[in-house]
Each structure stands twice: as C-alpha cells, then as structure tokens.
Amino acid sequence: MSAERATAGRDDREPLGAESLYVVRVQDRIDGRIAGHDGCAYASPPAPRDSALALVGLLLGGDPGAVNGGGAWTRAVPGGQRTITLAPERIG
C-alpha cells in the first residue's frame, strides 16, 4: 500500500503531514581589537517556523512577533555586525 503525495515536489523522506523545520544561523563578525574576540557563529537545532522566527526576533533585539519571515537580517553589534539567516532544515 502506498500513500499519494498531497504536494508535488516534496522530499520523499519527509512523512506526509510532517511540519517543516527551520534552522537559524547566526554569524557575528567582530573586530577583535575592539571587542577582545573575533566573533562567533551558532546554528540552532531544527525548529518549527514560528519558533525559529521567535528566536530571530530575540537575536535582533526587538519584538519577536515583529519578524515577518524574511530569509536574512543584518544588525550592528558592538565592534562589528551580526548576520542572521533562516533556512529550511537540510535533510540528508
């Protein structure tokens, strides 16, 4: 017995009805002469879209509900800049 796909182009490894997951990546590029370190990077565990967008809002230092779902944001931080990206989880 086989199940038909409801949406064309879906990944065959994703079960029907499964919620898409997203990863938030953060890269701080900092001038070490100013901050005492060269920055850091972080990738969140996969999360549902609403949770991932809430994390983006917190990292931007604003209202987590105000993030509308774009794919990349850049903000100034002391000594450099922070780039935050939101992308679907890569399977495989």
Side-chain angles (χ1 to χ4, degrees):
M1 179 194 283
S2 66
E4 294 229 352
R5 297 282 179 194
T7 306
R10 288 176 53 110
D11 188 327
D12 288 337
R13 294 168 289 187
E14 182 179 327
L16 280 176
E19 184 174 11
S20 295
L21 299 177
Y22 293 82
V23 175
V24 176
R25 289 184 177 78
V26 183
Q27 175 71 49
D28 282 356
R29 291 181 180 84
I30 307 294
D31 185 335
R33 299 169 297 173
I34 296 171
H37 63 90
D38 293 327
C40 60
Y42 172 77
S44 74
R49 185 172 176 82
D50 288 344
S51 294
L53 287 171
L55 176 58
V56 169
L58 290 170
L59 290 166
L60 291 171
D63 176 11
V67 177
N68 66 6
W73 300 263
T74 302
R75 291 290 188 268
V77 294
Q81 75 177 24
R82 170 173 292 162
T83 302
I84 303 167
T85 57
L86 176 68
E89 174 188 26
R90 290 184 188 160
I91 299 175

